[in-house]
Amino acid sequence: MEPEGPSRALVMSDVAARAGVSHQTVSRVINGHPNVAPRTRERVERAIRELGYRPNTAARALVTGSTRTLGFVAVNINQYGPAQTLVGLERAARAAGYSLGVTVLDEATAEAMRDALDRFTAQSVDAVLALATYDDAVEALHQVHTPLPLVTVQSGGALEEPAVGVDQVAGARLATRHLLDLGHRTVHHVTGPADSKEARDRVEGWRTELAAVGAPAPECLHGDWTPSSGYEAGRRLAARKRAGEDITAVFLANDQMALGLLAALHEEGLEAPCDVSVVGFDDLPEAPYLTPPLTTVRQDFAELGRRAVELVLARLAGRELHLQPVPPVLLIRSSTGPVPVGSTPAGV
Amino acid sequence: MEPEGPSRALVMSDVAARAGVSHQTVSRVINGHPNVAPRTRERVERAIRELGYRPNTAARALVTGSTRTLGFVAVNINQYGPAQTLVGLERAARAAGYSLGVTVLDEATAEAMRDALDRFTAQSVDAVLALATYDDAVEALHQVHTPLPLVTVQSGGALEEPAVGVDQVAGARLATRHLLDLGHRTVHHVTGPADSKEARDRVEGWRTELAAVGAPAPECLHGDWTPSSGYEAGRRLAARKRAGEDITAVFLANDQMALGLLAALHEEGLEAPCDVSVVGFDDLPEAPYLTPPLTTVRQDFAELGRRAVELVLARLAGRELHLQPVPPVLLIRSSTGPVPVGSTPAGV
DNA sequence: CCAGTCCCTGTTAGCGCTAACATCCCGGCG
DNA sequence: CGCCGGGATGTTAGCGCTAACAGGGACTGG
């Protein structure tokens, strides 16, 4: 291996010496400046390669004010969605030549947010990406004023500030529409927590789609993302169904709740899709392997990350950019099917 | 708000001017140097507070060579474990006054690893934490030589290099022992992928515990972490059980496979814990809500992160430190119970 | 044939900070 | 009473890099 020598930190003038030019010429080559003779450029490039030189980011940051680093703040990275968002963001940032610094807030207070942004400022990150699906986080974000360019990653829809998101409303409509297309008279809905914008958007999509076909909108059941709350909803729905209510299709705001609901239905002797059709949201890795494999809505986190980085880079370049929310896709598996033949009020 | 003025970047001499001292004295206060008069120190501290000043990390890094940033490399952050490890690490790093930069490798090649470490080097991170549960990642790591202090986060056990991990062997023993204690004659095991050190360690723990009580060790079934492979294993086990084999307890290398197995058993008319006891590994958020709630082994990722950071900081300070692997804990829920009364070769 | 121009390259300054050295002032001791 | 030691503070240099300017050679046009 040539690169590893006595391992003293390599600097630009080492490269310059080897290529027989000044360090400034090396800098020009590295930064792609136009006025460098092709032969010189080549010599410098070879020296860089041979030495395995990498410019020092700190020195660069000091003079340019840019670190080519993006900061990512999130409150809650435990759920599948946020974790995937992080991965998508990192990948997109790296593809664009940026690094990603991560801060996970312990709590969604303005103080914690302020601290995180301060740290990013001190680190001279070029911009901050904030995950803002919960109202607390959004509020904390708004309370904090920062000179840093900021892009939020959140539920899609009408966005006052620079933001990217997956179109939650469209996803919910897709799910609802699928159920309606199968012949179900209406669709019941189990919501996510009320303080989540995504959860509210999914309610809206569901309601909109029902209204679009003139179907009645039954009252929602309220969950909190956990399988346990889905289980509860399942028990209640099963009881109501046994009492004669016409319940043939349920759309849940996420897959974990669908998992709980499926378990509860099963305990009550009801199976999907023969007795009830079930649709979730998220496409957890487990979703295809539930019994039955779950029909669900997938969000493209890789694309989300790509757009977030694109948006942030555009802002950095002073361009205004308006991105449409990322469209989700419906994955039809086996938990949904046509209306059971003997459904209570059989056809009118 | 005082801090926000015309928002020109605040520098050390601004603070110095306000406190009526030289910028060097400000530096001394910030870095906790001893020889500063108490009154002066206080004046400077007030000025810092009033201005909302934060020292510029890049400038600092340039002169000290330290950014108080740690780099984290992982190949695969999609699974629950790795994601939790990241969160634990970030929290611990932040608590110690460090920031965390993250790189997710697209593939576990030496080249990708080399690139990630190069980027971290250029960024002047103080040290690198690498997630190395897969052999590919470990190998890639070993092929790459880096001057950066490096700590691996991996399956516990005998560790040649500085590393922290959860004691997988102990976890598997806990699970197996629990089943044995319930009166099961032996325990069947569904493994994870062969190229995962964690999976192999879990096999070892299972085998060791069986040997410790002189129980026979049935041949393993091989899975790959996915619920689907657990489902397959469930089908096979159910068939063998129906054929008269004495199968009353199964320990699976993770919860997702347990989920699949439970589904398969259910389809075959077998239920946990009455027909078969089932134990998983990981304690997914879903685990308490499966039917039945899953007995499993939990890994303490927060503690893991804390130890990783502790170890890395010790190395940075030149201290050798040998940390024991983190002990996992067994969570007993409802998927395990005593041996079914009518089990095939009933007692001897 | 010389000024004007353009391209290539080198030299110099300085980003914001810390380390090393210089300075000042005070009290104590020979 | 002068000198010395040491704590508190200021001054200077330089970390590795890029921006701005300076210079020199080749080429053009008058």
Side-chain angles (χ1 to χ4, degrees):
Chain A
M1 286 281 177
E2 274 212 54
E4 247 63 54
S7 209
R8 198 196 94 269
L10 226 40
V11 300
M12 199 171 261
S13 42
D14 297 332
V15 177
R18 181 168 190 122
V21 296
S22 76
H23 69 126
Q24 179 59 293
T25 299
V26 177
S27 169
R28 277 192 272 256
V29 170
I30 290 176
N31 296 293
H33 280 241
N35 299 339
V36 177
R39 291 202 31 173
T40 311
R41 158 162 289 138
E42 203 183 313
R43 246 184 18 255
V44 170
E45 277 167 353
R46 203 180 49 239
I48 291 175
R49 244 179 298 117
E50 288 171 355
L51 257 22
Y53 169 77
R54 284 266 191 155
N56 177 319
T57 318
R60 221 168 181 172
L62 187 56
V63 46
T64 61
S66 157
T67 45
R68 294 191 76 78
T69 294
L70 265 22
F72 177 62
V73 219
V75 174
N76 175 346
I77 208 101
N78 296 312
Q79 298 277 333
Y80 178 74
Q84 291 307 301
T85 304
L86 166 63
V87 174
L89 242 29
E90 193 279 335
R91 192 147 304 186
R94 185 152 37 86
Y98 279 73
S99 296
L100 193 70
V102 173
T103 298
V104 181
L105 262 40
D106 294 310
E107 31 177 13
T109 61
E111 193 192 353
M113 189 64 90
R114 157 102 271 158
D115 184 63
L117 294 180
D118 275 356
R119 289 162 45 99
F120 280 143
T121 308
Q123 268 183 63
S124 320
V125 302
D126 290 1
V128 173
L129 298 153
L131 187 62
T133 51
Y134 283 92
D135 297 343
D136 282 355
V138 175
E139 201 183 324
L141 213 48
H142 283 147
Q143 280 173 33
V144 172
H145 208 69
T146 172
L148 247 36
L150 194 145
V151 163
T152 61
V153 180
Q154 59 180 23
S155 176
L159 309 169
E160 342 88 55
E161 58 214 346
V164 293
V166 173
D167 195 335
Q168 306 296 330
V169 175
R173 294 189 65 166
L174 240 35
T176 309
R177 157 57 59 108
H178 166 60
L179 260 4
L180 258 14
D181 282 349
L182 284 167
H184 298 275
R185 293 238 295 198
T186 190
V187 175
H188 287 256
H189 181 50
V190 180
T191 71
D195 64 343
S196 157
K197 173 117 181 346
E198 300 193 344
R200 290 196 304 271
D201 281 354
R202 290 173 197 177
V203 172
E204 182 192 329
W206 162 77
R207 207 184 294 279
T208 306
E209 194 62 28
L210 287 183
V213 302
E219 208 174 320
C220 292
L221 283 89
H222 298 286
D224 61 3
W225 297 146
T226 66
S228 147
S229 65
Y231 180 87
E232 273 311 311
R235 303 284 299 217
R236 258 194 302 253
L237 248 17
R240 282 163 50 184
K241 187 174 170 72
R242 257 203 315 276
E245 214 174 307
D246 182 24
I247 299 172
T248 64
V250 185
F251 163 50
L252 296 100
N254 81 348
D255 283 0
Q256 293 199 347
M257 295 195 294
L259 181 158
L261 178 117
L262 250 17
L265 291 185
H266 175 72
E267 276 185 28
E268 302 281 340
L270 296 171
E271 299 298 337
C274 32
D275 302 305
V276 180
S277 282
V278 175
V279 180
F281 207 110
D282 271 354
D283 191 35
L284 290 191
E286 287 92 335
Y289 306 108
L290 299 185
T291 38
L294 188 66
T295 294
T296 189
V297 179
R298 162 181 278 171
Q299 316 188 50
D300 187 345
F301 293 107
E303 178 61 25
L304 184 66
R306 232 171 287 130
R307 295 204 192 180
V309 170
E310 188 188 349
L311 182 58
V312 102
L313 261 31
R315 292 207 62 198
L316 251 23
R319 281 180 291 126
E320 272 308 310
L321 192 64
H322 263 286
L323 292 175
Q324 293 308 307
V326 179
V329 310
L330 178 72
L331 297 177
I332 299 174
R333 290 200 268 251
S334 325
S335 64
T336 48
V339 186
V341 283
S343 182
T344 332
V348 187
Chain B
M1 289 278 178
E2 274 213 53
E4 247 62 57
S7 208
R8 195 196 96 270
L10 224 41
V11 300
M12 199 171 261
S13 45
D14 296 333
V15 177
R18 180 164 188 127
V21 296
S22 76
H23 69 126
Q24 179 58 289
T25 299
V26 176
S27 168
R28 277 192 270 258
V29 169
I30 290 175
N31 296 293
H33 279 242
N35 298 340
V36 177
R39 290 202 34 176
T40 312
R41 158 161 290 137
E42 203 183 316
R43 248 186 13 256
V44 171
E45 278 167 351
R46 201 178 52 238
I48 291 175
R49 243 179 297 117
E50 288 171 356
L51 256 23
Y53 169 76
R54 284 267 192 157
N56 177 318
T57 318
R60 223 168 179 171
L62 187 56
V63 46
T64 61
S66 157
T67 45
R68 294 191 75 79
T69 294
L70 265 22
F72 178 62
V73 218
V75 175
N76 172 346
I77 207 98
N78 296 313
Q79 297 279 335
Y80 178 72
Q84 290 306 301
T85 304
L86 166 62
V87 175
L89 243 29
E90 193 279 335
R91 194 148 303 185
R94 184 153 37 84
Y98 279 73
S99 296
L100 193 70
V102 173
T103 297
V104 181
L105 261 41
D106 294 313
E107 33 178 12
T109 61
E111 192 192 354
M113 188 65 87
R114 156 103 271 157
D115 183 63
L117 293 181
D118 275 356
R119 290 163 44 99
F120 279 143
T121 307
Q123 268 183 63
S124 320
V125 301
D126 290 1
V128 172
L129 297 154
L131 189 61
T133 52
Y134 284 93
D135 298 342
D136 282 356
V138 175
E139 201 184 326
L141 212 49
H142 284 147
Q143 279 174 34
V144 172
H145 207 73
T146 172
L148 248 35
L150 193 146
V151 164
T152 61
V153 181
Q154 59 180 23
S155 175
L159 310 169
E160 341 88 59
E161 57 214 349
V164 293
V166 173
D167 194 336
Q168 306 295 329
V169 175
R173 293 189 66 166
L174 239 35
T176 310
R177 158 57 59 109
H178 167 60
L179 261 3
L180 258 13
D181 282 349
L182 284 167
H184 298 275
R185 291 237 296 196
T186 190
V187 175
H188 288 255
H189 181 49
V190 180
T191 71
D195 64 343
S196 158
K197 171 114 181 355
E198 299 194 344
R200 290 196 304 270
D201 282 354
R202 290 174 199 176
V203 172
E204 182 192 330
W206 162 76
R207 207 183 294 280
T208 305
E209 194 63 25
L210 287 184
V213 301
E219 208 174 321
C220 293
L221 283 89
H222 298 286
D224 61 2
W225 296 147
T226 66
S228 146
S229 64
Y231 179 88
E232 274 312 312
R235 302 285 297 219
R236 256 192 305 252
L237 248 16
R240 282 164 51 183
K241 188 176 170 70
R242 257 203 315 276
E245 216 175 308
D246 181 26
I247 297 172
T248 63
V250 186
F251 163 50
L252 296 100
N254 80 349
D255 283 359
Q256 293 198 348
M257 296 195 293
L259 181 157
L261 179 117
L262 250 17
L265 291 186
H266 176 71
E267 276 185 30
E268 302 282 339
L270 295 171
E271 298 297 338
C274 31
D275 301 306
V276 181
S277 283
V278 175
V279 180
F281 208 111
D282 272 355
D283 192 34
L284 291 190
E286 288 92 334
Y289 306 107
L290 300 184
T291 40
L294 188 66
T295 294
T296 190
V297 178
R298 160 182 279 172
Q299 316 188 51
D300 187 344
F301 293 107
E303 179 59 26
L304 184 66
R306 232 172 285 131
R307 294 203 193 180
V309 171
E310 191 188 344
L311 182 59
V312 103
L313 262 29
R315 292 207 63 197
L316 252 22
R319 282 180 289 124
E320 273 306 312
L321 193 63
H322 263 285
L323 292 174
Q324 293 307 308
V326 179
V329 309
L330 177 72
L331 296 176
I332 300 173
R333 292 199 267 250
S334 325
S335 64
T336 49
V339 187
V341 283
S343 181
T344 332
V348 186

